[in-house]
């Protein structure tokens, strides 16, 4: 009996470039997440994996995906930075922002001087700058003006050496200034946190809001450790004997309350906790002159306000303390709870969408492309255009700042914009990596040793100059000065080194205060350096 004809099964990818793109995104993210002592390549891992694939397999890139990636990335940068970008200039203009401007000014002069003096091709030089700062926005900005092969080559050579230079500089400086930083921490505030075990029978089964002991001594319970998990403390929290309570307040008040409820323990909350601490600036006019009790903050958000900083005075807030415009409140809760609280206190909460509004996103993208397409003639320099990258950034800043323009929303949930931003950067890095992988390897020669040395100079010289000006002229405390420097260079791993000596929120506040400003200014700096170098005829 003859066998029936078998129909062969074939797997055929009509869009094989999309399969390759997202496979490389997956592999690149996995590689970027590999860390040594908290330091890794992060999102640049996608670029490295794509360059390897481009060298060995010569996959074809998809230019339109690169353009879409640029726009999504910078649009989300603008949306995230918009609410705090202009406020940061006003609130920290005299010190933090001045120090960032010094950092970037030194960087600009240093970069232009090195490129001009040593005859480095401008594209490679700007790539060296972006790599030494480990800055994706700077890389994207440089790619708008110069051949991708040159810029990516400079970025790829400089990135590891800039990373090492920054880590070594901060590590050595922190080690040398450790005693001074510790003295600054001791003299900064009298507020204190300690952990006690609840052994008092009278408090078992009571609601936290009904315990007058805490109110009488102005002590806040910022977390409760029970059954190996940390939970936020709210007024409706029921105390149980054996609970581990984290108390915050003046040292004498914390000690007095602790002696009543039980004995002090040296239990760490961090290894059990999903709670986070965040600084939130009160800007929503609808909450001004209203107290946390009146607003029902604990009931609505299940987050605890542990302290308030007002006019440089730090104190433990009571439930009846009215909030004032510009107050910096320290809150403890889960990341989601803090996101919601920040939207409520920090911005007009009715302008924030709980999801991405596709119509609004389409409108912002349309405006981004429209702005990027404008060409303005500049006498002596020729036509100037922001391009699609600059247009996306400006559109994001405008919508992010105002929150709503007409019926279009400009503020989306933080996790949504984070996903869009990372997706855009990954798409861009894949296409650029595929295009430049072959040329990068072929361009490696002894000259790369000099480029590595220049990368270290491009990273360390601005940091040293900024620290000297910030600490000794602007009188910024050491840990906050390093926080500003890390924010100015958008270098997050540096915070982990600083927090080994100063575990308070101040370095993070300094970092976050200037980070959105630095993201924008570093893009403008690259464009400015490009114009100056072109006018000098450098890098032939």
């Amino acid at each position: 009996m003859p066998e029936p004809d078998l129909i062969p099964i074939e797997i055929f990818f009509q869009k094989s470039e999309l399969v390759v793109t997202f496979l490389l995104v997956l592999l690149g993210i996995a590689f970027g997440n590999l860390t040594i002592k908290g330091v890794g390549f992060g999102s640049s891992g996608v670029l490295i994996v794509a360059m390897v694939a481009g060298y060995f397999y010569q996959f074809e890139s998809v230019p339109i995906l690169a353009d879409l990636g640029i726009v999504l990335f910078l649009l989300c940068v603008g949306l995230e930075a918009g609410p705090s970008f202009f406020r940061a200039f006003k609130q920290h203009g005299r010190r933090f922002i001045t120090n960032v401007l010094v950092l970037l000014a030194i960087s600009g002069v240093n970069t232009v001087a090195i490129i001009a003096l040593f005859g480095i091709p401008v594209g490679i030089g700007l790539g060296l700058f972006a790599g030494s700062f480990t800055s994706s926005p700077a890389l994207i900005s440089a790619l708008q003006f110069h051949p991708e092969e040159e810029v990516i080559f400079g970025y790829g050579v400089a990135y590891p050496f800039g990373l090492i230079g920054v880590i070594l500089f901060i590590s050595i400086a922190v080690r040398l200034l450790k005693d001074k930083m510790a003295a600054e921490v001791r003299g900064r505030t009298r507020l204190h946190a300690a952990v006690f075990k609840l052994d008092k029978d009278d408090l078992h089964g009571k609601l936290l809001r009904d315990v007058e002991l805490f109110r009488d001594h102005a002590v806040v319970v910022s977390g409760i450790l029970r059954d190996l998990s940390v939970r936020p403390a709210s007024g409706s929290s029921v105390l149980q004997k054996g609970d581990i309570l984290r108390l915050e307040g003046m040292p004498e008040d914390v000690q007095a309350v602790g002696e009543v409820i039980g004995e002090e323990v040296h239990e760490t909350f961090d290894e059990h906790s999903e709670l986070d601490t965040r600084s939130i600036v009160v800007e929503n006019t609808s909450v001004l002159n209203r107290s946390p009790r009146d607003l029902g903050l604990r009931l609505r958000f299940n987050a605890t306000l542990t302290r308030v900083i007002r006019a440089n005075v730090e104190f433990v807030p009571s439930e009846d303390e009215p909030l004032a415009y510009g107050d910096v409140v320290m809150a403890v809760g889960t990341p989601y709870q803090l996101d919601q609280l920040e939207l409520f206190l920090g911005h007009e909460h009715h302008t924030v969408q709980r999801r991405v509004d596709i119509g609004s996103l389409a409108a912002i993208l349309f405006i981004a492309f429209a702005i990027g397409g404008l060409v303005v003639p500049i006498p002596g320099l020729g036509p100037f255009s922001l391009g699609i990258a600059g247009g996306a950034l400006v559109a994001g800043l405008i919508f992010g700042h105002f929150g709503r323009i007409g019926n279009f929303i400009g503020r989306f949930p933080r996790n949504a914009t984070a996903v869009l931003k990372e997706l855009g950067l990954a798409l861009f890095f894949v296409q650029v990596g595929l295009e430049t992988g072959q040329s990068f390897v072929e361009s490696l020669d002894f000259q790369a040793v000099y480029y590595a040395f220049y990368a270290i100079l491009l990273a360390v010289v601005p940091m040293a100059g900024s620290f000297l000006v910030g600490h000794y002229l602007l009188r910024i405390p050491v840990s906050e000065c390093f926080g500003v420097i890390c924010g100015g260079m958008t270098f997050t791993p540096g915070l982990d080194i600083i927090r080994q000596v100063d575990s308070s929120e101040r370095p993070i506040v300094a970092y976050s205060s200037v980070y959105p400003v630095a993201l924008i200014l570093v893009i403008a700096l690259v464009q400015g350096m490009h114009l100056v170098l072109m006018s000098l005829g450098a890098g032939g």
Side-chain angles (χ1 to χ4, degrees):
M1 182 175 180
E3 294 185 6
D5 294 335
L6 298 179
I7 301 175
I9 298 176
E10 296 183 2
I11 299 177
F12 177 70
F13 294 117
Q14 292 182 322
K15 295 293 184 182
S16 59
E17 59 271 15
L18 294 180
V19 175
V20 170
T21 292
F22 286 99
L23 175 61
L24 293 178
V25 169
L26 177 63
L27 296 176
I29 290 174
F31 175 71
N33 288 336
L34 298 176
T35 60
I36 299 176
K37 293 186 176 181
V39 178
F41 285 98
S43 57
S44 294
V46 177
L47 176 61
I48 294 172
V49 169
M51 290 175 68
V52 172
Y55 174 72
F56 285 105
Y57 301 104
Q58 289 85 46
F59 291 119
E60 291 294 327
S61 63
V62 185
I64 194 171
L65 289 182
D67 292 341
L68 177 62
I70 290 175
V71 171
L72 283 178
F73 174 74
L74 290 177
L75 183 68
C76 291
V77 167
L79 290 175
E80 289 181 346
S84 57
F85 179 74
F86 299 102
R87 184 196 74 214
F89 273 107
K90 180 180 179 181
Q91 185 175 358
H92 301 290
R94 289 185 299 175
R95 297 202 306 166
F96 288 176
I97 301 302
T98 300
N99 201 20
V100 167
L101 292 175
V102 169
L103 172 73
L104 296 179
I106 294 175
S107 299
V109 173
N110 190 42
T111 303
V112 170
I114 288 176
I115 292 174
L117 289 176
F118 297 102
I120 302 172
V122 177
I124 293 179
L126 294 181
L128 290 173
F129 167 78
S132 66
F133 264 50
T134 63
S135 172
S136 300
L139 171 63
I140 291 175
S141 182
L143 286 168
Q144 304 304 300
F145 307 106
H146 299 281
E148 291 180 347
E149 293 79 6
E150 291 187 358
V151 177
I152 293 296
F153 177 74
Y155 182 85
V157 170
Y159 190 98
F161 294 97
L163 195 69
I164 293 170
V166 173
I167 292 174
L168 286 178
F169 179 87
I170 295 178
S171 299
I172 293 172
V174 167
R175 185 179 296 272
L176 293 175
L177 299 168
K178 185 175 182 179
D179 293 340
K180 188 170 187 178
M181 293 174 68
E184 290 177 349
V185 171
R186 288 193 300 269
R188 178 183 299 152
T189 178
R190 295 193 62 213
L191 291 181
H192 175 65
V195 178
F196 289 85
K197 184 176 182 179
L198 179 61
D199 291 328
K200 190 173 177 61
D201 293 329
D202 294 346
L203 298 181
H204 179 78
K206 278 197 170 186
L207 296 178
L208 190 59
R209 62 171 171 261
D210 295 333
V211 181
E212 296 182 358
L213 177 66
F214 300 122
R215 294 198 300 272
D216 293 343
H217 290 84
V219 168
V220 173
V221 179
S222 58
I224 302 174
L225 174 59
R226 182 187 300 161
D227 299 328
L228 297 181
S229 66
V230 175
R231 58 199 67 192
S234 65
S236 58
S237 297
V238 179
L239 298 176
Q240 295 182 13
K241 188 175 180 179
D243 283 348
I244 305 296
L245 308 181
R246 181 170 55 194
L247 308 180
E248 298 194 33
M250 302 297 284
E252 58 272 19
D253 291 327
V254 170
Q255 190 62 34
V257 172
E259 290 175 352
V260 173
I261 68 173
E263 62 177 351
E264 185 173 3
V265 296
H266 299 286
E267 181 81 26
T268 176
F269 270 54
D270 295 338
E271 61 189 34
H272 304 290
S273 177
E274 295 182 357
L275 301 183
D276 196 6
T277 302
R278 186 175 303 174
S279 300
I280 301 173
V281 180
V282 177
E283 291 183 309
N284 185 357
T285 55
S286 65
V287 306
L288 301 183
N289 300 317
R290 300 177 65 185
S291 68
R293 187 193 306 278
D294 182 30
L295 295 169
L297 297 185
R298 281 196 173 189
L299 181 63
R300 299 172 69 173
F301 302 102
N302 199 25
T304 303
L305 303 188
T306 61
R307 65 190 70 181
V308 172
I309 303 172
R310 179 181 299 164
N312 294 322
V313 176
E314 196 172 28
F315 60 91
V316 176
S318 70
E319 283 291 297
D320 298 313
E321 176 68 34
L323 297 176
Y325 186 84
D327 280 354
V328 179
V329 301
M330 300 300 302
V332 177
T334 66
Y336 175 79
Q337 292 163 348
L338 294 179
D339 284 346
Q340 301 307 306
L341 180 61
E342 184 174 20
L343 293 176
F344 181 73
L345 294 179
H347 313 297
E348 292 290 345
H349 56 282
H350 64 270
T351 66
V352 180
Q353 284 286 85
R354 290 184 176 271
R355 60 181 179 84
V356 176
D357 180 66
I358 300 301
S360 297
L361 182 60
I364 300 173
L365 286 170
F366 171 78
I367 293 175
F369 284 112
I371 294 175
L374 294 175
V375 179
V376 180
I378 300 178
L381 294 176
F384 173 77
S385 173
L386 290 174
I388 60 173
L393 186 61
V394 171
L397 279 173
I398 293 173
F399 273 86
H401 175 68
F402 290 105
R404 179 194 294 268
I405 298 179
N407 293 324
F408 300 118
I409 303 297
R411 291 182 186 154
F412 306 132
R414 180 179 300 185
N415 58 346
T417 52
V419 168
L420 289 175
K421 183 172 69 173
E422 291 299 320
L423 174 62
L425 188 60
L427 291 175
F428 174 73
F429 274 168
V430 167
Q431 308 313 319
V432 171
L434 292 177
E435 287 187 7
T436 59
Q438 184 79 23
S439 61
F440 178 84
V441 175
E442 293 175 350
S443 300
L444 284 175
D445 54 19
F446 189 76
Q447 185 70 22
V449 176
Y450 293 104
Y451 290 156
F453 175 71
Y454 299 149
I456 295 175
L457 290 180
L458 291 175
V460 172
V461 171
M463 293 179 69
S466 178
F467 175 76
L468 293 175
V469 172
H471 181 60
Y472 293 102
L473 292 183
L474 300 177
R475 303 298 181 185
I476 301 175
V478 175
S479 60
E480 292 180 64
C481 192
F482 281 127
V484 170
I485 291 172
C486 290
M489 299 183 72
T490 64
F491 184 72
T492 308
L495 286 177
D496 296 330
I497 303 172
I498 301 166
R499 286 176 62 82
Q500 294 175 7
V501 179
D502 185 354
S503 59
S504 73
E505 77 284 350
R506 294 203 173 210
I508 299 176
V509 171
Y511 174 93
S512 59
S513 297
V514 302
Y515 180 84
V517 178
L519 280 176
I520 311 306
L521 294 183
V522 75
I523 295 171
L525 176 63
V526 171
Q527 298 197 17
M529 290 190 295
H530 162 76
L531 291 175
V532 171
L533 289 167
M534 290 297 97
S535 65
L536 293 176

